Amino acid sequence: MIDETVEEIREMQTHSSSVVAVKAARALESLTEREFRSLDDYLRDVERNSTALRQANPSHASLQNTQREIVAALDEEFPDIEAAKARTRETIRGVVERVEMAKRRAAEYGAMALDDGMTVLTHDYSSTVLEAIELAGREGAELTVYVTEARPRYLGRKSARTLAAIDRVETHLIVDSACGHFLPECDRVLMGMDCIVGETLYNRIGSLPIAATAAETDTPVTVVGSGAKIIDDGFVFENEFRSSSEVMREPAEGFWIENPTYDATPLSLVDSVITDEGMR
């Protein structure tokens, strides 16, 4: 299960960083069902597999923090393997509950920022943003949502399909470069966040051009996510460069294909940040 989860994270098959953190925690929990010759063998295997999960995506703050918390909980004396396994299960249960609760509360606060009749632009795929829109629709708000394709992996198409199934939400899928055409019609940009470190928002590539264009069109930008994704220190964001085959299947002859995964957007371009603690 762990190897499959590592590969899924590495290939970004799961797009939401909160979901990634939960899946990784539950994958690590599978070790408690295995047999080990000694307590030391078990502790070493937990640390080794946790490292593999973290290295699968060094940029995911939620993944990094939750995995470190699980490993740190085992930094004490245990009478036997079963006691260490019980401690592992207890820690993972608490981590998962906290991540899921923070995500749910952030979505609830996000829904409060969406008034009836609003037109919103969103980018990429954020399960928290989608849940906020769904909650707003469930509470009676009629919304128009423009969704960028989020090239090159077209994750926005998945968002559009999800939004299209929500009552009272009129969904439009647009190409990334059309954001400047549609932003003047929008009341708000609503995006997720991979993490915020200091005064910088790190989110899927394409977020910076949208935020910069929104500043020109006087469209407020709001990002939504768990407060655990806001980090003051102790974390260095590492961008990733994906395979060139995501951009173009044919061989590149005489030129390079650059495919960065994330943008660094100054918080000065963001009007508000909504977390499980409310709006700031």
Side-chain angles (χ1 to χ4, degrees), residues 33-188:
E33 300 168 4
R34 300 182 188 176
E35 296 296 326
F36 294 88
R37 289 180 301 178
S38 68
L39 173 59
D40 285 343
D41 283 348
Y42 171 70
L43 296 176
R44 277 195 296 268
D45 215 36
V46 169
E47 185 164 0
R48 179 178 63 82
N49 281 281
S50 178
T51 298
L53 287 162
R54 288 189 289 107
Q55 289 178 343
N57 194 324
S59 65
H60 269 312
S62 297
L63 171 65
Q64 301 298 316
N65 292 338
T66 51
Q67 285 296 311
R68 287 194 175 99
E69 180 178 342
I70 295 165
V71 172
L74 299 178
D75 189 19
E76 58 182 82
E77 296 293 328
F78 294 99
D80 52 40
I81 295 177
E82 288 309 312
K85 286 182 176 180
R87 178 69 168 141
T88 304
R89 286 190 288 265
E90 176 190 6
T91 304
I92 289 173
R93 185 166 54 250
V95 161
V96 168
E97 287 177 358
R98 190 169 66 252
V99 169
E100 292 183 337
M101 179 60 73
K103 179 174 174 292
R104 192 175 308 118
R105 286 179 176 168
E108 289 170 355
Y109 283 119
M112 293 178 188
L114 300 174
D115 298 326
D116 183 34
M118 261 192 172
T119 298
V120 177
L121 185 141
T122 190
H123 178 58
D124 192 61
Y125 183 94
S126 164
S127 59
T128 307
V129 168
L130 296 176
E131 187 175 347
I133 293 171
E134 182 177 9
L135 287 172
R138 197 183 302 162
E139 292 166 6
E142 299 273 354
L143 301 171
T144 299
V145 182
Y146 288 99
V147 188
T148 55
E149 284 187 309
R151 295 182 179 187
R153 301 195 67 216
Y154 300 102
L155 302 180
R157 296 179 182 180
K158 181 179 178 181
S159 296
R161 292 188 185 98
T162 302
L163 291 168
I166 301 173
D167 291 339
R168 290 182 286 276
V169 176
E170 180 185 302
T171 306
H172 302 259
L173 182 66
I174 64 173
V175 297
D176 295 355
S177 54
C179 68
H181 179 81
F182 292 102
L183 275 171
E185 301 177 25
C186 297
D187 300 296
R188 185 180 298 278

Side-chain angles (χ1 to χ4, degrees), residues 147-264:
V147 188
T148 55
E149 284 187 309
R151 295 182 179 187
R153 301 195 67 216
Y154 300 102
L155 302 180
R157 296 179 182 180
K158 181 179 178 181
S159 296
R161 292 188 185 98
T162 302
L163 291 168
I166 301 173
D167 291 339
R168 290 182 286 276
V169 176
E170 180 185 302
T171 306
H172 302 259
L173 182 66
I174 64 173
V175 297
D176 295 355
S177 54
C179 68
H181 179 81
F182 292 102
L183 275 171
E185 301 177 25
C186 297
D187 300 296
R188 185 180 298 278
V189 173
L190 191 66
M191 294 193 292
M193 57 172 159
D194 192 77
C195 63
I196 293 175
V197 183
E199 294 300 312
T200 304
L201 163 69
Y202 293 98
N203 200 45
R204 196 76 68 202
I205 198 74
S207 301
L208 174 57
I210 291 173
T213 307
E216 288 295 316
T217 59
D218 292 323
T219 309
V221 176
T222 297
V223 296
V224 186
S226 165
K229 295 180 180 181
I230 300 177
I231 305 165
D232 293 324
D233 51 39
F235 177 75
V236 178
F237 186 88
E238 297 181 31
N239 207 341
E240 303 169 60
F241 283 79
R242 305 284 300 169
S243 169
S244 62
S245 64
E246 292 181 350
V247 179
M248 191 174 78
R249 294 185 181 277
E250 312 89 71
E253 298 181 0
F255 59 92
W256 297 97
I257 296 176
E258 302 289 356
N259 186 19
T261 305
Y262 300 100
D263 263 338

